[in-house]
Amino acid sequence: MSKKKYIVAVLALLSAGCVQYTPKPIDLSADGAAWQQMTAEMCGSRKSMSREELRRIGLLMNPELLKARLTHARAESREEFAGLWEDPSMGMELERVFANNITNHSFSPSLALPVTGLPALRKQIAAQYKENDYWNMRHEERKFMSELDVLCYRLMAAESKLNIMNKRLSVLRDEQQRMSKLHGMGEVAFADFQTSTERLNATIKELQEQEREVLSLKQDLVAKLGLHPSVTGLHPSGRLPHGVPAAVAVPTADEMLSAPVIKAALAGYGATEEELRAEIRKQYPELGLSGMFAVDDNKKKGALGVEFTLPLWNRNREAIAVSSAERDIKQAETLQTWRELQQQAEALREQQSLLLRHCRSEYSRLTELEKATEQQEKLFELGESKLLELAEARHLSFERKLAYLDCLVNLLDIQTKLQYLNPSYNQQ
């Protein structure tokens, strides 16, 4: 009876160290309320924020970044407990000899000794995957900041274009009223009056399209930051650069070697190498030790056993072949990632060079047209220029402003990508 109590006590002690399941139900209603409250705490009633403030919010709440951090946390947990020895086992047997009224029993503990070093290799594999997930997380953070900056520039440009269109529409309506009066007095031809009407209608249509564009970009900004959709009208503060910005340096191949995406790829490749080493080790036998204590016909017996496999024909060849192929695939992916990064840098360099020329050309034409429009405004006030000439100068200047903004925001997109392509770039 005392032996039974002892066995029960040992089993209870062993089970006490086991992890217990804890249910974790999802309450969507509560999550929605918490999400909205967190958004309100971060944004308040503000509609305008600096890019630095938007970046801080996004780094905390962007869903892709949250997923990347959870993936890295999973790798950390795996690495913490990787490489543990296999638990020993215990076998028990009871035998009843009814003719002689004898009960025999035996206990057989066994323990596997990892003489091939597989637990240490599993620890190294888990460490490689943790490093891979860490650099993937860092890559996602830089990718988010780059995309956020691009989105902010696009939204600034879209709002600038909207303001220009609103001002232009006010001027067009005034011109249309004057054109209508002059046409009624026979001083303006019907074709010129019709052109003025068409410009007014076209500008109204462009304004409506631009309003939809601004709304869409603001919604994209809220989604990018991971905020609750109840936030409306949020936009970045600040202004676009005045004039054509200077060229951004293109990162060299040596600088890009420390890019997070490259470090992640190399860590992933290192994990496949360790996995191949582990599979190769498995073709050699592990050592197993077992003991036995028995009571047979009231006689106590003991024994010690050694167990190992004989690598005659299996030798883990299938797993080795698969692991070797996985390493080759990961090697090809890593090299392709490196090549794509260099191709991206060269493509961005060429695009920046082209857009710089375009922007400088557009800015030069815009400056000349603005000066010409100012001259026409002065001549019109003095009565030395006609309304048709002034309207034409205003329209050309308006079109050049929109064209320049389009060119500028495209250039800023490219330059932002070039900046974040350089691992040393860290805008706070």
Side-chain angles (χ1 to χ4, degrees):
M1 191 70 179
S2 60
K3 289 183 179 180
K4 293 182 179 179
K5 291 182 178 180
Y6 176 75
I7 293 172
V8 171
V10 171
L11 293 175
L13 181 62
L14 292 175
S15 63
C18 296
V19 177
Q20 302 296 319
Y21 169 73
T22 302
K24 195 175 181 180
I26 297 177
D27 189 338
L28 297 179
S29 298
D31 174 77
W35 183 22
Q36 191 167 9
Q37 181 181 358
M38 185 179 298
T39 298
E41 291 174 357
M42 290 189 169
C43 298
S45 59
R46 293 181 297 171
K47 298 297 182 182
S48 177
M49 294 187 189
S50 67
R51 278 191 295 163
E52 290 73 18
E53 291 175 311
L54 295 174
R55 189 181 294 116
R56 284 195 292 269
I57 292 174
L59 288 173
L60 289 174
M61 299 188 65
N62 178 266
E64 294 300 324
L65 295 184
L66 292 177
K67 182 179 178 181
R69 291 181 185 127
L70 290 174
T71 302
H72 179 241
R74 179 185 64 185
E76 285 185 321
S77 299
R78 178 186 177 185
E79 194 263 347
E80 181 182 359
F81 299 105
L84 298 177
W85 283 24
E86 293 185 8
D87 292 328
S89 61
M90 174 70 74
M92 294 180 290
E93 182 178 344
L94 291 176
E95 180 185 53
R96 179 70 176 176
V97 182
F98 293 102
N100 298 326
N101 194 25
I102 296 174
T103 300
N104 299 324
H105 58 271
S106 64
F107 300 93
S108 303
S110 63
L111 175 66
L113 299 178
V115 295
T116 58
L118 282 175
L121 281 176
R122 286 195 289 267
K123 188 78 171 178
Q124 293 174 19
I125 292 170
Q128 288 286 342
Y129 277 119
K130 183 182 78 170
E131 184 178 357
N132 172 262
D133 288 337
Y134 170 77
W135 288 114
N136 275 328
M137 178 182 67
R138 293 295 304 275
H139 172 66
E140 288 296 327
E141 288 175 351
R142 293 184 66 83
K143 179 182 175 183
F144 161 77
M145 290 189 290
S146 174
E147 292 175 349
L148 178 63
D149 284 358
V150 167
L151 183 56
C152 286
Y153 282 134
R154 289 195 173 276
L155 185 50
M156 288 179 187
E159 289 185 323
S160 295
K161 290 174 69 175
L162 187 61
N163 291 333
I164 292 171
M165 288 179 182
N166 275 315
K167 292 178 181 178
R168 175 60 179 158
L169 186 60
S170 177
V171 172
L172 278 173
R173 283 172 174 159
D174 179 66
E175 288 178 358
Q176 183 68 6
Q177 290 178 357
R178 294 188 180 188
M179 288 285 187
S180 179
K181 292 179 180 178
L182 293 173
H183 175 62
M185 293 185 295
E187 296 183 9
V188 172
F190 176 77
D192 295 329
F193 175 71
Q194 187 68 19
T195 299
S196 175
T197 303
E198 290 174 356
R199 284 179 180 173
L200 176 62
N201 293 333
T203 303
I204 292 174
K205 182 180 178 182
E206 289 178 8
L207 178 66
Q208 293 171 347
E209 292 175 352
Q210 193 63 28
E211 287 176 338
R212 291 195 295 269
E213 176 70 11
V214 169
L215 176 60
S216 177
L217 288 171
K218 288 182 177 180
Q219 292 172 340
D220 291 344
L221 178 61
V222 171
K224 174 67 68 177
L225 297 176
L227 296 173
H228 193 273
S230 59
V231 175
T232 58
L234 182 64
H235 63 96
S237 60
R239 295 181 179 180
L240 293 171
H242 179 71
V244 181
V248 172
V250 180
T252 64
D254 289 340
E255 288 174 330
M256 290 189 295
L257 283 173
S258 58
V261 65
I262 297 298
K263 290 187 175 182
L266 290 173
Y269 175 69
T272 60
E273 284 205 306
E274 296 298 329
E275 287 175 336
L276 177 58
R277 289 178 59 194
E279 295 299 338
I280 290 174
R281 292 278 183 90
K282 288 179 184 179
Q283 66 184 324
Y284 303 108
E286 295 280 21
L287 182 63
L289 297 179
S290 62
M292 188 270 290
F293 174 79
V295 176
D296 186 4
D297 196 15
N298 294 325
K299 296 178 181 179
K300 296 181 179 180
K301 299 179 180 180
L304 180 65
V306 178
E307 180 182 355
F308 57 87
T309 58
L310 297 176
L312 296 179
W313 48 75
N314 188 332
R315 299 183 183 179
N316 202 34
R317 291 178 180 177
E318 179 183 358
I320 291 173
V322 171
S323 186
S324 179
E326 289 293 335
R327 183 182 66 169
D328 292 341
I329 292 172
K330 183 57 71 173
Q331 181 186 46
E333 290 177 351
T334 302
L335 292 175
Q336 183 61 27
T337 299
W338 169 237
R339 292 169 183 175
E340 288 177 353
L341 201 62
Q342 295 181 81
Q343 291 171 346
Q344 183 181 2
E346 180 60 22
L348 291 174
R349 184 193 66 79
E350 293 179 351
Q351 291 175 31
Q352 177 183 229
S353 178
L354 178 64
L355 286 170
L356 276 171
R357 292 201 306 270
H358 289 177
C359 271
R360 287 165 183 159
S361 176
E362 287 290 343
Y363 187 72
S364 176
R365 287 195 294 271
L366 174 60
T367 303
E368 292 176 359
L369 283 171
E370 286 181 336
K371 290 180 180 178
T373 303
E374 290 178 3
Q375 185 67 23
Q376 285 292 334
E377 294 281 0
K378 293 177 181 178
L379 292 174
F380 182 74
E381 290 177 0
L382 296 173
E384 298 180 5
S385 176
K386 295 182 179 180
L387 181 59
L388 289 175
E389 296 171 345
L390 176 60
E392 186 65 23
R394 287 171 173 173
H395 187 69
L396 291 175
S397 178
F398 166 72
E399 289 183 333
R400 288 275 64 80
K401 286 179 182 178
L402 298 184
Y404 169 70
L405 282 174
D406 288 336
C407 189
L408 177 62
V409 76
N410 288 333
L411 175 61
L412 292 173
D413 285 0
I414 298 302
Q415 291 188 333
T416 300
K417 293 174 183 177
L418 267 176
Q419 287 172 332
Y420 282 99
L421 197 63
N422 191 335
S424 62
Y425 178 75
N426 185 21
Q427 183 177 352
Q428 297 296 337

